[in-house]
């Protein structure tokens, strides 16, 4: 069928159409995507409603089969980032068969007065109950309780037993994880801002290092503790490529590895982040506050080759020119090269001879990576063997021994030691788990999980679990508990479903990609509309001890919810805090979610704007009063969540419609949440 897909500005192409019952064939033809985005013919792949279907590489036509059992309005989503197509039912017809949308349900309003609500079995007759938000108390009488929500609470009551101080004992089932790109958070040591010859660009600083570091992160741990955070996920602290690549589709800015996804050496702390002692001090300080440390890791790919690294570590080759390459580059330090007329920051690639087989002898080596650079194993078309975003792909499936990467011979500060007969996978797992063994890292957030074979993840989990147990045994005065190592992962498009990442890969959790574009929107519109999400999540997650998800509102790879869905309106955005933070299962706060961090400079890469600097000035004394109020709102709800494991891990029961009320219970930990309605 002919249907134009519209780009909506968030990286996704969408279309809506009415379908009756029957069998349909979709054909995506003559698209403008390149082979590098891995779109291509599926060959009659059957689509399942509400589930992303993967696309393959480089053919011009793509065919899909869809069987529709229920007529209605459907939405097609084509996502270049996840390389998937998805069809979902948006509006079912009314009973008489008319193809029209039902009128949206009205949201209750609250006039600022008292609210009386039946408590069911949550609290006993005569029991004193406290509203955690306001601190006010009341006694249950006639099976009901009457309290007045705080003026700034968005009509919320967070009810708990007043006579019992519930424990905030940690559980990964109740995790509130704060994801921070260290470089964009807080600069604790300006002296390390330009390590390895890295420089600012003097322009919008879209993809440069901004100066945030481990010392700055340590300085802000009290802030995170006050926010109610009990785990922090930080960008990979190990050494990244020293130079830059062309940023965005137009090559309009220098893109450095400030985010931690372009590894150079797993055995070293990146100097922009700080020192080993500063990393140890950060982990210890977090643990002293009861905050677990989750480290972002990549085991799928290396970093790109850059001019800076080629010069420093003496790898790669250049095209043959009449002039010496140094004269053509025109700078003593190759990283200082600038594009000339008609060129972009991508144009440095025109100087490099990627067809020279010397790359296999002086860079990582053919035993380590697959890449389209000469002398290496060529990339494939499936998730396991492709080059994601043209990044060289580690041969984690190889059974052959892999000597240390060749360029390490010109990197005297590496701590990597040759291991006789070790495979790529064994080397990588050894390097990554050494961070656990040395510092007491509590968990990993795994990047691009679907691009590595499942058995590699299972092996990593076993080795990391052993490493953490060893660290705790060697550091009994620092160990918080005897909980095992925890692992969550990025599987693009994954929702609240128990997949083989749990049963075969050793994962304790997988990131939930669905909520940001689904449950969060209806929750912001009206808190009581979260009931279906809450009931579904609680039933799936809290009935299975071996299953959990990590749900987010904003992400560095998708969008800032404040910017894209709340349209930069703080008053509207405040309404999504409670629906999100009171979700069953784990939740992930992206740094600045709690302060409505503004979208930043982005150039021709829409994701860069999601990684703006933390907006500290907005919440300091004399700052933005709306944002200060927003932060206090997040603090109250997140602290309540942290205090009661029942919020995330308990059984969910709806108790009332108007006002909307529900309980969560886990053993003797019982709480109740009431939504009086939107403030008038």
């Amino acid at each position: 069928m002919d249907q134009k897909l519209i780009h909506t500005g968030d990286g996704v192409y969408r279309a809506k159409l009415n379908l009756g019952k029957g069998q349909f064939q979709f054909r995506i033809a003559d698209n403008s995507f390149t082979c590098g985005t891995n779109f291509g013919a599926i060959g009659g792949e059957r689509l399942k409603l509400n589930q992303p279907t993967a696309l393959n590489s480089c053919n011009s036509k793509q065919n899909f089969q869809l069987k529709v059992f229920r007529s209605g309005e459907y939405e097609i989503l084509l996502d270049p980032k996840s390389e998937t197509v998805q069809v979902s039912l948006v509006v079912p017809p009314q009973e008489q068969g008319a193809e029209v949308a039902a009128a949206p349900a009205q949201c209750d309003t609250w006039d600022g007065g008292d609210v009386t609500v039946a408590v069911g079995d949550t609290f006993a007759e005569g029991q004193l109950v406290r509203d955690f938000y306001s601190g006010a108390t009341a006694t249950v009488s006639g099976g009901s309780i009457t309290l007045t929500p705080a003026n700034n609470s968005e009509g919320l009551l967070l009810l708990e037993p007043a006579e019992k101080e519930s424990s905030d004992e940690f559980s990964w089932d109740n995790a509130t994880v704060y994801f921070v790109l260290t470089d964009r958070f807080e600069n604790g040591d300006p002296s390390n801002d330009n390590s390895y010859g890295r420089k600012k660009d003097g322009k919008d600083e879209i993809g440069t290092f901004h100066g945030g570091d481990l010392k700055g992160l340590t300085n802000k741990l009290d802030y995170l503790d006050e926010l109610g955070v009990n785990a922090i996920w930080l960008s990979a602290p190990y050494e990244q490529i020293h130079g830059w690549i062309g940023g965005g589709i137009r090559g309009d800015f220098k893109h450095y590895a400030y985010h931690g996804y372009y590894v150079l050496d797993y055995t070293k702390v990146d100097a922009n982040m700080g020192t080993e002692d500063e990393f140890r001090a950060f982990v210890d300080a977090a643990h002293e506050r009861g905050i677990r440390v989750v480290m972002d890791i990549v085991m799928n790919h290396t970093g790109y080759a850059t001019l800076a690294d080629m010069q420093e570590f003496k790898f790669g080759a250049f095209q043959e020119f009449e002039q010496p390459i140094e004269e053509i580059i025109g700078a003593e330090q190759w990283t200082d090269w600038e594009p000339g007329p008609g060129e972009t920051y991508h144009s440095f690639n025109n100087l490099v001879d990627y067809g020279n087989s010397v790359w296999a002898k002086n860079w990582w080596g053919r035993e380590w990576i697959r890449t389209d650079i000469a002398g290496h194993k060529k990339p494939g078309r499936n998730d396991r063997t492709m080059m994601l975003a043209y990044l060289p792909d580690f041969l984690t499936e190889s059974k052959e021994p892999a000597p240390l990467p060749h360029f390490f011979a010109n990197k005297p500060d590496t701590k990597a030691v040759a291991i006789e007969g070790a495979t790529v996978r064994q080397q990588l797992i050894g390097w990554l788990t050494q961070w656990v063994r040395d510092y007491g890292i509590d968990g990993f957030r795994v990047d691009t999980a679907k691009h590595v074979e499942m058995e590699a993840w299972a092996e990593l989990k076993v080795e990391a679990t052993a490493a953490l147990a060893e660290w705790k045994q060697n550091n009994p005065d620092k160990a918080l508990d005897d909980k095992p190592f925890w692992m969550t992962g990025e599987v693009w498009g994954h929702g609240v479903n128990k997949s083989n990442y749990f049963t075969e890969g050793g994962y304790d959790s997988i990131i939930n990609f669905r909520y940001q574009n689904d449950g969060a929107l209806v929750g912001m519109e009206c808190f009581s509309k979260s009931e279906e999400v809450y009931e579904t999540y609680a039933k799936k997650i809290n009935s299975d001890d071996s299953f959990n998800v990590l749900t987010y509102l904003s992400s560095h790879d998708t969008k800032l919810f404040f910017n894209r869905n709340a349209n930069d309106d703080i008053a509207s955005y405040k309404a999504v805090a409670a629906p999100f933070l009171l979700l069953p299962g784990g939740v992930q706060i992206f740094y600045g979610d709690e302060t409505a961090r503004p979208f930043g400079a982005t150039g021709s890469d829409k994701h860069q704007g999601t990684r703006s600097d933390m907006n500290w000035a907005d919440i300091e004394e004399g700052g933005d009063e709306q944002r200060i109020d927003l932060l206090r709102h997040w603090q109250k709800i997140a602290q309540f969540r942290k205090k009661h494991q029942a919020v995330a891990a308990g059984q969910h029961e709806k108790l009332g419609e108007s006002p909307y009320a529900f309980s969560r219970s886990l053993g003797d930990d019982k709480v109740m949440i009431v939504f009086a309605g939107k403030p008038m």
Side-chain angles (χ1 to χ4, degrees):
M1 58 182 60
D2 294 329
Q3 179 71 39
K4 185 176 181 180
L5 297 173
I6 304 299
H7 188 267
T8 59
D10 59 358
V12 177
Y13 293 81
R14 303 171 187 267
K16 290 185 179 179
L17 66 161
N18 289 317
L19 298 175
K21 296 180 181 179
Q23 186 82 22
F24 295 88
Q25 177 169 300
F26 290 80
R27 183 172 70 106
I28 303 174
D30 300 324
N31 64 65
S32 60
F33 300 110
T34 66
C35 288
T37 56
N38 296 292
F39 284 99
I42 293 293
E45 178 77 16
R46 180 174 295 278
L47 290 171
K48 294 182 179 180
L49 288 176
N50 305 311
Q51 294 185 21
T53 299
L55 302 166
N56 288 338
S57 302
C58 296
N59 292 323
S60 62
K61 297 180 180 179
Q62 304 152 72
N63 299 299
F64 307 94
Q65 302 295 327
L66 175 68
K67 191 169 185 179
V68 174
F69 295 93
R70 187 181 186 189
S71 60
E73 184 180 54
Y74 287 78
E75 182 178 53
I76 303 172
L77 301 179
L78 185 65
D79 190 339
K81 171 68 176 178
S82 62
E83 302 151 13
T84 59
V85 64
Q86 178 175 324
V87 180
S88 304
L89 176 63
V90 179
V91 182
Q94 294 179 330
E95 288 299 318
Q96 64 269 32
E99 300 284 346
V100 296
Q106 296 298 309
C107 193
D108 284 350
T109 56
W110 171 55
D111 61 5
D114 291 348
V115 175
T116 299
V117 61
V119 300
D121 296 330
T122 311
F123 306 118
E125 186 73 12
Q127 186 173 4
L128 187 65
V129 174
R130 175 173 52 226
D131 173 24
F132 181 84
Y133 203 111
S134 67
T137 59
T139 301
V140 177
S141 177
S144 298
I145 196 165
T146 300
L147 280 165
T148 306
N151 287 332
N152 56 350
S153 70
E154 293 292 296
L156 279 178
L157 293 171
L158 305 176
L159 304 180
E160 61 180 3
E163 73 280 2
K164 181 181 178 182
E165 286 298 328
S166 299
S167 169
D168 60 356
E169 179 184 354
F170 178 79
S171 166
W172 286 110
D173 292 337
N174 196 45
T176 302
V177 182
Y178 194 87
F179 170 31
V180 57
L181 290 177
T182 308
D183 174 69
R184 304 299 171 89
F185 197 58
E186 173 72 1
N187 193 343
D189 181 8
S191 70
N192 62 26
D193 289 0
N194 299 308
S195 301
Y196 312 119
R198 295 166 177 157
K199 296 180 179 179
K200 302 291 190 293
D201 63 22
K203 301 174 184 176
D204 293 327
E205 309 300 343
I206 295 170
T208 58
F209 279 83
H210 288 194
D213 48 34
L214 293 163
K215 185 176 288 187
L217 193 53
T218 305
N219 293 342
K220 292 297 184 179
L221 283 172
D222 285 341
Y223 167 83
L224 298 180
D225 193 26
E226 292 169 4
L227 180 57
V229 167
N230 54 18
I232 181 169
W233 151 19
L234 77 159
S235 50
Y238 44 71
E239 188 176 354
Q240 302 294 303
I241 57 174
H242 293 179
W244 49 266
I245 59 168
I249 59 174
R250 295 196 300 267
D252 48 330
F253 60 91
K254 292 181 177 180
H255 184 174
Y256 286 92
Y258 66 87
H259 40 61
Y261 295 118
Y262 301 159
V263 63
L264 178 77
D265 188 344
Y266 287 100
T267 72
K268 299 283 292 182
V269 175
D270 191 278
N272 259 80
M273 298 297 100
T275 66
E276 291 183 10
D277 287 342
E278 287 167 346
F279 187 66
R280 182 171 287 105
F282 158 69
V283 175
D284 289 349
H287 284 168
E288 287 169 5
R289 292 163 175 79
I291 299 175
R292 273 66 180 175
V293 176
V294 178
M295 199 171 94
D296 211 336
I297 65 147
V298 183
M299 208 165 80
N300 164 235
H301 57 259
T302 74
Y304 298 102
T306 74
L307 290 174
D309 298 285
M310 289 175 67
Q311 183 180 34
E312 183 174 358
F313 303 117
K314 301 176 176 58
F315 62 74
F318 289 99
Q319 302 286 354
E320 292 186 7
F321 300 97
E322 292 183 1
Q323 297 172 270
I325 190 64
E326 291 80 6
E327 293 182 16
I328 294 174
I329 291 176
E332 182 178 352
Q333 298 300 317
W334 296 351
T335 195
D336 292 338
W337 176 89
E338 289 289 332
E343 294 183 320
T344 72
Y345 285 110
H346 289 321
S347 299
F348 85 89
N349 289 291
N350 298 332
L351 305 174
V352 181
D353 183 3
Y354 294 111
N356 193 321
S357 60
V358 72
W359 283 89
K361 300 175 183 177
N362 61 17
W363 192 28
W364 280 87
R366 61 179 296 111
E367 303 91 349
W368 275 89
I369 56 175
R370 60 170 59 86
T371 174
D372 51 13
I373 297 175
H376 295 85
K377 189 174 182 179
K378 296 300 181 184
R381 293 187 173 188
N382 60 43
D383 284 340
R384 302 289 190 267
T385 62
M386 66 180 285
M387 285 175 61
L388 182 66
Y390 304 105
L391 286 155
D393 184 59
F394 280 129
L395 298 172
T396 47
E397 80 284 1
S398 175
K399 305 300 182 184
E400 300 300 318
L404 288 181
H406 299 309
F407 76 93
F408 275 16
N410 296 314
K411 192 177 188 301
D413 66 338
T414 186
K415 296 170 71 174
V417 177
I419 302 174
E420 185 70 26
T423 64
V424 170
R425 183 194 298 176
Q426 290 168 337
Q427 296 268 25
L428 293 175
I429 289 176
W431 291 336
L432 289 168
T433 55
Q434 193 63 44
W435 290 82
V436 182
R437 191 169 282 106
D438 288 345
Y439 301 103
I441 302 300
D442 301 284
F444 285 155
R445 178 271 183 184
V446 174
D447 188 63
T448 57
K450 73 175 183 177
H451 298 288
V452 176
E453 56 279 357
M454 202 68 69
E455 56 268 26
W457 298 133
E459 187 175 335
L460 175 68
K461 178 64 178 305
V462 169
E463 295 298 321
T465 299
L468 182 58
E470 180 182 324
W471 180 85
K472 289 182 176 181
Q473 184 176 7
N474 294 336
N475 298 273
D477 56 326
K478 295 182 178 181
L480 293 174
D481 51 42
D482 59 356
K483 296 184 187 301
F485 191 81
W486 182 80
M487 198 161 79
T488 191
E490 176 204 31
V491 180
W492 199 270
H494 202 288
V496 188
N497 56 290
K498 190 171 184 179
S499 62
N500 58 344
Y501 287 91
F502 296 90
T503 56
E504 300 174 23
Y507 282 86
D508 303 284
S509 165
I510 292 292
I511 293 172
N512 173 23
F513 283 79
R514 304 292 177 81
Y515 182 77
Q516 184 190 55
N517 290 317
D518 185 6
L521 297 173
V522 298
M524 182 174 67
E525 181 184 347
C526 185
F527 182 39
S528 57
K529 293 183 180 180
S530 297
E531 174 59 27
E532 184 178 352
V533 172
Y534 286 166
E535 182 182 9
T536 300
Y537 280 33
K539 186 178 297 184
K540 289 185 176 182
I541 296 169
N542 296 336
S543 61
D544 186 344
D545 291 339
S546 61
F547 173 58
N548 210 323
V549 296
L550 189 63
T551 301
Y552 68 87
L553 196 62
S554 301
S555 164
H556 63 312
D557 276 339
T558 56
K559 59 189 173 185
L560 296 183
F561 192 89
F562 169 63
N563 170 252
R564 296 299 305 164
N565 291 104
N567 298 315
D568 294 331
D569 179 65
I570 295 175
S572 297
Y573 179 66
K574 186 179 179 182
V576 81
F580 170 64
L581 290 171
L582 297 173
L583 279 167
V587 296
Q588 170 235 294
I589 301 171
F590 190 33
Y591 75 103
D593 274 348
E594 74 282 11
T595 59
R597 174 170 55 88
F599 191 75
T602 199
S604 61
D605 180 352
K606 63 184 175 58
H607 293 134
Q608 299 301 321
T610 68
R611 307 163 187 182
S612 54
D613 289 339
M614 180 64 180
N615 55 325
W616 294 114
D618 287 337
I619 56 172
E620 293 170 352
E621 187 175 351
D624 184 330
E625 288 299 326
Q626 267 194 303
R627 282 184 164 88
I628 292 171
D629 173 69
L630 176 69
L631 172 61
R632 290 172 179 157
H633 186 61
W634 276 71
Q635 287 173 331
K636 277 291 186 182
I637 302 169
Q639 287 167 356
F640 180 71
R641 174 187 171 91
K642 179 181 178 181
K643 185 177 181 182
H644 296 281
Q645 286 193 30
V647 171
Q651 297 301 307
H652 174 88
E653 182 182 2
K654 182 179 177 181
L655 298 176
E657 183 72 40
S658 184
Y660 173 56
F662 62 87
S663 67
R664 299 273 173 82
S665 57
L666 182 67
D668 60 357
D669 184 20
K670 296 182 178 182
V671 297
M672 183 172 169
I673 291 89
V674 179
F675 174 61
K678 285 187 174 183
M680 296 178 64

